[in-house]
């Protein structure tokens, strides 16, 4: 096993240190390219631990390319990234994953998708692609164009489909989810309530609204429509209620409107 220590001076005139450990290390381009193979391990001073099977480090551009069984552990933020291909731009302090990626956040949330960008300076994880976020309580959130703001513990995304712990389904054109409080603020919302919520499993209770605010004990939709009629393709429900404000009381399991 070879141990290589690289010291460089960045464009911002500060010292940084990167330690490599692997089964094979090859030096090219007069020492500017370092290629490592076999159980590659790297570590930075700011607690970023990196593992892969292959790596290529460009000392001039401060670019680290990682391939095969990549694992990056940001111990300061509790973020672990798993992928098969990753690029770490040390100058910008940004990590890019290519292809299928799994991100574990403090063992509370798992984000699955592809082509993520983790900006360590902005404390933001993002992807333009479809993705899925799971929490340890079983709540599942599917979305696209995800932005996870780490410092706020907040997800902002489009085309959200969310199942809560009561198996109610939320469809949101755009939403902001506070992971600390589980509160949601959204535009153009539809909630498909669990069928048996009002005692009849043959019903399809649902609410639509122009905007939504959901808290732990209640959900409020503005400019809302509610019905519990069975869904029949190409047929309008037999009845529905229109109101400026529709409230779903999750504890009492009832709908209020005004």
């Amino acid at each position: 096993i070879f141990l290589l220590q690289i010291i460089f001076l960045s464009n911002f005139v500060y010292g940084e240190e990167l330690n490599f450990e692997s089964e094979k290390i090859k030096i090219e381009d007069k020492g500017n390219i370092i290629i490592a193979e076999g159980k590659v391990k790297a570590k930075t001073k700011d607690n970023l631990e990196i593992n892969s099977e292959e790596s290529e480090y460009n000392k001039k551009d401060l670019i680290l390319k990682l391939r095969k069984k990549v694992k990056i552990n940001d111990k300061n933020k509790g973020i672990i990234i798993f992928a098969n291909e990753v690029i770490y731009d040390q100058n910008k302090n940004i990590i890019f994953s290519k292809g299928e990626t799994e991100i574990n956040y403090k063992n509370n949330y798992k984000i699955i998708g592809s082509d993520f960008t983790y900006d360590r300076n902005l404390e933001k994880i993002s992807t333009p692609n479809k993705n899925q976020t799971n929490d340890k309580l079983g709540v599942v959130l599917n979305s696209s164009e995800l932005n996870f703001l780490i410092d706020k513990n907040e997800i902002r995304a489009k085309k959200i489909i969310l199942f809560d712990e009561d198996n109610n389904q939320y469809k949101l054109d755009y939403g902001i989810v506070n992971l600390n409080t589980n509160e949601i603020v959204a535009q153009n919302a539809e909630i498909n309530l669990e069928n048996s919520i009002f005692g009849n499993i043959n019903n399809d209770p649902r609410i639509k609204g122009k905007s939504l605010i959901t808290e732990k004990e209640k959900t409020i939709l503005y400019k809302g429509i509610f019905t519990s009629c069975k869904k029949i393709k190409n047929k309008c429900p037999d009845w529905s209620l229109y109101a400026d404000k529709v409230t779903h009381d999750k504890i009492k399991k009832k709908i209020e409107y005004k």
Side-chain angles (χ1 to χ4, degrees), residues 22-37:
S22 72
E23 294 176 345
K24 293 181 181 179
I25 290 181
K26 182 167 61 174
I27 310 296
E28 296 182 351
D29 189 26
K30 298 180 180 180
N32 290 314
I33 302 295
I34 297 95
I35 298 172
E37 296 179 358

Side-chain angles (χ1 to χ4, degrees), residues 69-109:
K69 298 180 181 179
V70 180
K71 177 184 177 182
I72 297 181
N73 186 356
D74 187 340
K75 300 187 78 173
N76 289 342
K77 295 296 179 181
I79 293 171
I80 303 176
I81 300 171
F82 299 93
N84 270 320
E85 188 173 356
V86 168
I87 296 173
Y88 176 32
D89 186 330
Q90 286 186 295
N91 201 27
K92 295 180 179 178
N93 207 15
I94 298 177
I95 297 169
F96 305 93
S97 77
K98 292 186 176 182
E100 293 183 6
T101 305
E102 179 181 312
I103 300 174
N104 186 302
Y105 178 56
K106 293 185 176 179
N107 291 319
N108 290 324
Y109 302 96

Side-chain angles (χ1 to χ4, degrees), residues 52 66 99 108 120 134 156 169 171 174 230 245 256:
S52 69
L66 303 156
N108 290 324
R120 299 181 74 209
N134 304 272
R156 300 183 178 193
Q169 182 196 58
K171 293 183 177 181
Y174 174 79
K230 185 77 176 175
K245 181 179 178 182
E256 300 173 342

Side-chain angles (χ1 to χ4, degrees), residues 1-52:
I1 296 178
F2 295 87
L3 180 64
L4 179 65
Q5 186 177 73
I6 303 162
I7 301 177
F8 62 90
L9 191 65
S10 80
N11 293 335
F12 296 101
V13 197
Y14 66 89
E16 182 61 82
E17 193 175 85
L18 181 65
N19 295 290
F20 275 101
E21 181 181 318
S22 72
E23 294 176 345
K24 293 181 181 179
I25 290 181
K26 182 167 61 174
I27 310 296
E28 296 182 351
D29 189 26
K30 298 180 180 180
N32 290 314
I33 302 295
I34 297 95
I35 298 172
E37 296 179 358
K39 297 181 180 179
V40 178
K41 295 182 181 180
K43 188 174 182 180
T44 65
K45 276 188 173 180
D46 60 349
N47 275 333
L48 194 69
E49 294 184 352
I50 299 166
N51 293 269
S52 69

Side-chain angles (χ1 to χ4, degrees), residues 30 35 39 54 67 104 195 214-215 231:
K30 298 180 180 180
I35 298 172
K39 297 181 180 179
E54 299 175 359
R67 292 178 294 273
N104 186 302
N195 284 18
T214 181
E215 301 171 358
K231 289 183 180 178

